[in-house]
Amino acid sequence: MLLTAKNIQKNYGLRQLVDDANIYLEPRDKIGILGINGTGKSTLLRILAGVEEPDSGTVTRGNNARLSFLQQNPPMNPENNILQQVFDNLSDEYRQLKEYEAKTILSKLGFDDTTLKIGNLSGGQKKRVALAAVLVAPAEILILDEPTNHLDTNMINWLEDYLKHFTGGLIMVTHDRYFLTRVVNRITELERGKFYSYEANYAKYLELKSQRAEMEQASFRKRQAFLRKEYEWISRGVRARGTKSRDRIERYENLKSMDAPETDGRVEITAATSRLGRKIIELDSVCKSFDSNTVLSPFSYGLLKTDRIGIVGRNGIGKSTLLNIISGVLPPDEGRVNMGVTVKIGYFTQENKNLPENEKVIDYINDIAREITTPEGNFTAARMLERFLFTGEMQHSLIGRLSGGEKRRLYLLGILMSAPNVLLLDEPTNDLDIETLGILEEYLEGFPGPIIAVSHDRYFLDKIATEIFEVGENGKISQFTGNYTDYISKKKELEPSVNGDKPVTPKGSRPERVKKLKFSYKEEREFETINEEVATLESQLEEYDGKIAAAGSDYVLLNNLLAEKKDLECKLDEKMERWLYLNELWEKIQAENN
């Protein structure tokens, strides 16, 4: 056992963040911790890492296991250069041994020049340096708080592969649902201070959590039915003369005092929008450079009401610059941005701009709008805050006292309270919990105006995008129809035939419509056999259940069988992902042909 936490309790004032939590970590365990913002996920990680003490309970590391911890806001020396910071507090001998590996990791995370000073880096760059330091440090235990924030897609893919092959134990908090599906083998959910563990990745966890909720509700309904019958019996005037009667009345009273199944609150997103005219935003040959670095080559585009555009590209390539030009925050060097008179932009930036730390939560929202009219009716600022899970006590707290995720949620509410009809979202998934992300995605599906989102979250882009703009070298923008998965498929198809910087679509034109969909030869053969392959894997898994049951107390055999079963489950998960993709593609092909 690498790490054991027993009976952990942690309170903040009247808030019970962690209540009698137990967690254990073995080699090759990869645990994802979920929970809505403010439930104590980061606090729990700090306790497990030894940075913060619990009110009660113990955390023990086994076999002198070494631990490396990525915090949300890691402390750094601004005078260090990048390489010095990575090896800060490590010996010179260790640096000599691991310097090549460190430079390789830093290169994967976007740093080719390791002599840059920490004090000159952005917040996102500092977080990437901290991640490199954690990965380079000698450790059998990795504890990571939001490791995918500030990483582009290539970096996330590399980190996924790195952590999959990590042979120690991993505990992390992340909102990246594809990352959770592909990396972790256990999900631990923190809900109202309690722990619920699932031997599953994220995709399987959704199924198991649904089953748990259904069982709790079924049990509650049975109890209610029993109480109704018992109440009728007691109401008939039965006196508690006999022992059986007294026992029955006592059981009734005990059941009546039990609470219904409790869950954490759920964000309710609804907002007003302003009328949007025909003319929205038109970009006419806009371009932008900083010194000699071209971040946007001449680009033209007319925004439509139904547009759902995801913007992708490596870090520092110019994605946020494009949003700033569209919003009017940054003027282009050449070209024009023509904006319709009815346009009201809601711009959700990475940095929670204009969020005053020393102002009360309720005052911040009141300054934007004291009341809004939505399709569900009129809501005051206080009522909207409640729908975004800010209790009466929290509404009168200073913004500076909120967690990072709570600040992000407040900032989102502030944007929506302004009744925008065009949404620009710059990394909207950073620091939002998974449940709130799902609700935000539902809201965006019904938003009546155009949405442009810069995001590294592949799951988010698969849910909301119908077009992908890729910002490439020298500021060239390539346009792809479809969501993120469609974009990746098309990129793979184009790779063998693309020469140099040949654009995917003519400059300044609307994106080409998708060519007629069809299976490749390989996909067609795979589609014909994949059902049988899935059935075979499922049958093999069932056989392992019998073998495990028959192993009895032979712990060596049992451990070997469990390891083999886990490998088989991973193969089945991968095969099911492929099955899902092929069947969705087949359905699209059928729809086109019909």
Side-chain angles (χ1 to χ4, degrees):
M1 200 69 72
L2 293 174
L3 182 144
T4 306
K6 291 183 177 179
N7 309 121
I8 301 298
Q9 301 260 6
K10 188 68 179 182
N11 285 18
Y12 274 132
L14 298 175
R15 294 175 68 189
Q16 180 85 38
L17 286 185
V18 185
D19 183 14
D20 198 30
N22 295 281
I23 194 167
Y24 64 89
L25 184 72
E26 296 179 355
R28 296 188 182 276
D29 274 349
K30 294 177 173 63
I31 302 174
I33 296 181
L34 306 185
I36 67 168
N37 292 137
T39 54
K41 301 186 299 293
S42 294
T43 299
L44 175 64
L45 292 194
R46 289 196 296 272
I47 290 171
L48 295 177
V51 174
E52 188 168 333
E53 290 295 320
D55 295 335
S56 63
T58 59
V59 178
T60 308
R61 288 187 227 163
N63 301 322
N64 299 313
R66 297 166 295 182
L67 185 148
S68 197
F69 178 36
L70 176 68
Q71 303 185 56
Q72 274 197 4
N73 299 299
M76 289 189 165
N77 183 348
E79 297 304 315
N80 278 345
N81 66 33
I82 289 173
L83 200 59
Q84 287 170 335
Q85 185 63 49
V86 167
F87 288 102
D88 204 31
N89 300 321
L90 295 171
S91 68
D92 291 338
E93 292 81 4
Y94 189 78
R95 173 171 175 164
Q96 290 173 9
L97 185 67
K98 292 287 186 177
E99 186 165 322
Y100 176 77
E101 181 183 335
K103 287 182 176 178
T104 301
I105 290 173
L106 285 165
S107 176
K108 294 292 185 183
L109 295 175
F111 297 106
D112 294 323
D113 183 359
T114 61
T115 64
L116 297 173
K117 285 285 186 75
I118 294 297
N120 295 330
L121 301 182
S122 68
Q125 289 173 319
K126 289 176 184 175
K127 184 74 181 272
R128 281 186 273 140
V129 172
L131 175 59
V134 166
L135 299 180
V136 168
E140 289 74 44
I141 302 169
L142 292 181
I143 297 182
L144 309 178
D145 198 348
E146 296 289 7
T148 63
N149 279 3
H150 310 292
L151 303 188
D152 62 34
T153 306
N154 289 336
M155 295 174 190
I156 290 173
N157 288 332
W158 170 81
L159 183 61
E160 264 182 19
D161 190 61
Y162 183 96
L163 294 178
K164 277 182 189 175
H165 293 93
F166 178 62
T167 56
L170 167 68
I171 302 174
M172 67 175 173
V173 169
T174 181
H175 62 264
D176 190 315
R177 288 154 286 184
Y178 281 155
F179 199 81
L180 284 167
T181 296
R182 292 164 185 168
V183 174
V184 310
N185 51 33
R186 275 168 56 198
I187 295 284
T188 296
E189 187 172 27
L190 186 55
E191 190 174 286
R192 302 184 74 86
K194 298 292 185 184
F195 265 21
Y196 299 92
S197 289
Y198 303 84
E199 295 287 335
N201 64 8
Y202 179 73
K204 185 67 175 175
Y205 146 80
L206 291 175
E207 178 187 343
L208 295 176
K209 183 182 179 183
S210 174
Q211 290 173 4
R212 176 173 71 85
E214 287 173 6
M215 288 171 64
E216 287 178 349
Q217 289 299 328
S219 178
F220 178 66
R221 286 193 297 269
K222 286 178 184 176
R223 180 158 60 87
Q224 293 299 99
F226 172 80
L227 286 173
R228 281 194 297 272
K229 289 181 181 178
E230 292 298 276
Y231 176 72
E232 290 170 5
W233 179 79
I234 288 172
S235 298
R236 286 201 296 268
V238 177
R239 298 181 179 276
R241 291 176 181 167
T243 303
K244 287 185 179 179
S245 296
R246 285 198 302 272
D247 289 346
R248 193 166 174 181
I249 291 171
E250 188 176 326
R251 183 172 55 171
Y252 167 79
E253 294 296 339
N254 289 336
L255 284 170
K256 191 172 71 169
S257 65
M258 289 173 65
D259 294 326
E262 289 187 320
T263 58
D264 283 313
R266 192 172 188 268
V267 174
E268 298 176 61
I269 297 183
T270 187
T273 55
S274 307
R275 187 186 69 83
L276 185 61
R278 254 186 174 178
K279 182 179 177 181
I280 305 177
I281 300 173
E282 294 175 356
L283 306 180
D284 182 10
S285 299
V286 294
C287 56
K288 189 69 182 179
S289 298
F290 293 102
D291 299 325
S292 59
N293 181 29
T294 300
V295 295
L296 182 62
S297 293
F299 177 65
S300 300
Y301 189 80
L303 199 62
L304 299 178
K305 202 170 188 178
T306 55
D307 275 343
R308 299 287 187 271
I309 299 169
I311 299 178
V312 299
R314 65 172 176 80
N315 280 354
I317 200 73
K319 304 185 297 294
S320 296
T321 299
L322 177 57
L323 282 193
N324 285 333
I325 289 173
I326 293 171
S327 67
V329 170
L330 188 68
D333 293 339
E334 296 178 24
R336 292 180 301 169
V337 179
N338 300 312
M339 198 169 295
V341 293
T342 61
V343 169
K344 191 169 186 180
I345 292 174
Y347 191 2
F348 189 64
T349 65
Q350 287 192 53
E351 300 84 13
N352 297 348
K353 285 183 178 177
N354 305 319
L355 206 58
E357 298 276 307
N358 294 320
E359 190 172 345
K360 289 182 179 179
V361 170
I362 185 69
D363 294 338
Y364 171 71
I365 296 298
N366 269 329
D367 288 345
I368 297 169
R370 291 184 173 272
E371 184 176 273
I372 61 168
T373 301
T374 77
E376 296 179 30
N378 292 344
F379 291 94
T380 64
R383 182 71 185 105
M384 287 297 290
L385 280 164
E386 287 174 7
R387 292 169 74 92
F388 272 65
L389 303 187
F390 291 97
T391 63
E393 181 183 352
M394 292 174 72
Q395 290 180 26
H396 291 88
S397 296
L398 296 180
I399 292 172
R401 293 181 182 172
L402 301 178
S403 71
E406 287 168 337
K407 288 177 183 176
R408 199 75 172 143
R409 203 186 318 136
L410 178 66
Y411 181 54
L412 173 61
L413 174 58
I415 299 292
L416 299 182
M417 288 290 286
S418 66
N421 49 31
V422 175
L423 284 178
L424 305 182
L425 310 173
D426 196 353
E427 298 293 3
T429 66
N430 281 0
D431 295 318
L432 285 181
D433 60 79
I434 287 176
E435 178 140 352
T436 300
L437 278 179
I439 295 160
L440 173 61
E441 287 158 0
E442 286 179 21
Y443 168 78
L444 294 178
E445 283 177 12
F447 185 74
I451 301 167
I452 306 177
V454 169
S455 182
H456 64 264
D457 190 319
R458 300 154 295 176
Y459 194 103
F460 178 79
L461 290 176
D462 270 347
K463 288 288 288 291
I464 69 111
T466 57
E467 296 174 85
I468 298 292
F469 287 7
E470 180 190 53
V471 183
E473 297 302 323
N474 299 316
K476 292 184 178 179
I477 295 178
S478 303
Q479 303 174 32
F480 299 81
T481 299
N483 62 13
Y484 182 82
T485 299
D486 298 327
Y487 152 73
I488 290 297
S489 298
K490 289 167 191 169
K491 286 274 288 182
K492 287 179 180 176
E493 290 172 10
L494 288 166
E495 275 171 9
S497 59
V498 170
N499 295 314
D501 286 321
K502 182 181 176 183
V504 174
T505 57
K507 182 175 64 180
S509 69
R510 286 197 56 77
E512 293 179 11
R513 295 299 111 188
V514 188
K515 294 178 181 178
K516 194 170 184 65
L517 284 172
K518 65 177 183 178
F519 278 136
S520 66
Y521 175 77
K522 182 181 175 183
E523 286 173 335
E524 189 170 0
R525 296 297 301 240
E526 190 179 1
F527 184 67
E528 290 171 358
T529 61
I530 196 164
N531 283 338
E532 186 178 337
E533 291 171 5
V534 168
T536 300
L537 288 171
E538 288 175 337
S539 176
Q540 290 172 351
L541 270 177
E542 288 179 8
E543 289 174 10
Y544 267 93
D545 289 335
K547 292 177 183 178
I548 289 166
S553 58
D554 187 342
Y555 294 109
V556 174
L557 176 60
L558 192 60
N559 281 332
N560 289 336
L561 288 171
L562 288 171
E564 290 169 9
K565 183 184 177 185
K566 187 173 286 188
D567 288 341
L568 202 58
E569 285 172 340
C570 290
K571 289 178 184 176
L572 180 59
D573 287 340
E574 290 172 6
K575 191 63 69 176
M576 286 302 296
E577 278 189 41
R578 189 63 181 164
W579 180 90
L580 185 63
Y581 165 74
L582 290 171
N583 275 272
E584 285 180 350
L585 180 56
W586 181 82
E587 287 173 3
K588 289 177 183 176
I589 292 169
Q590 297 305 306
E592 270 202 4
N593 291 338
N594 293 332

